Amino acid sequence: MNLPNQITIARILLIPVFMVLMLAPLSLGNININGIPLPSTHAAGALLFVIAAATDWLDGYFARKYNLVSNFGKFLDPLADKLLVTAALLSLIEMGLLPAWMGIVILSREFAVTGMRLVAASEGNVIAASGLAKWKTVFQMAALAVLLLHNVPFAGWNLPVGMLLMWAAVVLTILSGIDYFVKNKHIFRQSM
């Protein structure tokens, strides 16, 4: 198994640890961020999420730089991303830090685009990530990281930075979903 695929599998293996840190009834004290107490397990979970999210860039970098792109990696990498995002969204909803409808919009788009990619793959077509989808991912990951830290104010800003980022992510999620289906409607026509 090549290095990029090992990194992707490591990302998947970090997800249960992340979920335990965020949702298990562990009490290991609090840390203070700008005077606001944050459970230390949630701080550790947020850090682990950022590390796991960064491995998405890392595995892609190694795959492209060393020409290690594989069909297994093409399948596993987006699956790992969706599992990580799903785990973070469900954790935030469970903790009352994110409205469920936002999670449903994001997950619905992910399932719909994944379904479209499966239909395309069954006919020998590969649908690459669009530029809009890449921006969607950047905003999703940034929003999730901030919200996992309980949306604490940063640098003295008294703004809900996490929710502002999440609103941008939701808008980009909808727009990129529409973009995928408009640009690839021929795939459904061919498969019917």
Side-chain angles (χ1 to χ4, degrees), residues 18 21-22 31 38-49 51 149:
F18 162 76
L21 288 169
M22 297 309 297
I31 63 168
L38 176 71
S40 59
T41 53
H42 292 183
L47 177 62
L48 191 62
F49 173 83
I51 291 168
L149 291 171

Side-chain angles (χ1 to χ4, degrees), residues 1-188:
M1 181 178 305
N2 66 34
L3 179 61
N5 291 341
Q6 291 174 353
I7 293 169
T8 302
I9 288 172
R11 180 162 70 252
I12 292 171
L13 294 175
L14 290 175
I15 294 169
V17 178
F18 162 76
M19 295 290 290
V20 167
L21 288 169
M22 297 309 297
L23 299 177
L26 302 172
S27 180
L28 301 175
N30 291 333
I31 63 168
N32 285 313
I33 299 178
N34 290 333
I36 297 172
L38 176 71
S40 59
T41 53
H42 292 183
L47 177 62
L48 191 62
F49 173 83
V50 169
I51 291 168
T55 66
D56 180 36
W57 174 84
L58 193 62
D59 61 17
Y61 170 78
F62 283 126
R64 286 184 296 277
K65 181 171 181 167
Y66 298 108
N67 197 26
L68 296 172
V69 176
S70 67
N71 287 333
F72 181 71
K74 287 180 189 176
F75 165 77
L76 195 63
D77 183 60
L79 177 63
D81 297 342
K82 284 166 186 43
L83 290 171
L84 180 63
V85 168
T86 299
L89 289 169
L90 293 177
S91 295
L92 289 167
I93 292 166
E94 173 70 18
M95 294 186 302
L97 297 172
L98 182 72
W101 72 265
M102 287 181 147
I104 291 168
V105 167
I106 290 170
L107 293 176
S108 296
R109 181 261 188 216
E110 298 301 334
F111 285 124
V113 170
T114 298
M116 182 179 58
R117 282 191 163 128
L118 289 173
V119 170
S122 72
E123 299 187 7
N125 298 316
V126 175
I127 299 174
S130 68
L132 197 55
K134 290 179 181 181
W135 279 108
K136 177 256 329 168
T137 300
V138 168
F139 275 89
Q140 270 183 9
M141 295 304 187
L144 291 169
V146 173
L147 289 172
L148 288 167
L149 291 171
H150 295 221
N151 204 27
V152 296
F154 291 98
W157 300 342
N158 199 14
L159 292 172
V161 175
M163 285 308 295
L164 293 172
L165 289 169
M166 185 55 74
W167 272 100
V170 167
V171 169
L172 289 169
T173 295
I174 293 167
L175 293 175
S176 67
I178 291 168
D179 182 54
Y180 270 114
F181 281 94
V182 168
K183 287 182 178 173
N184 297 290
K185 61 185 172 218
H186 64 280
I187 289 171
F188 287 110

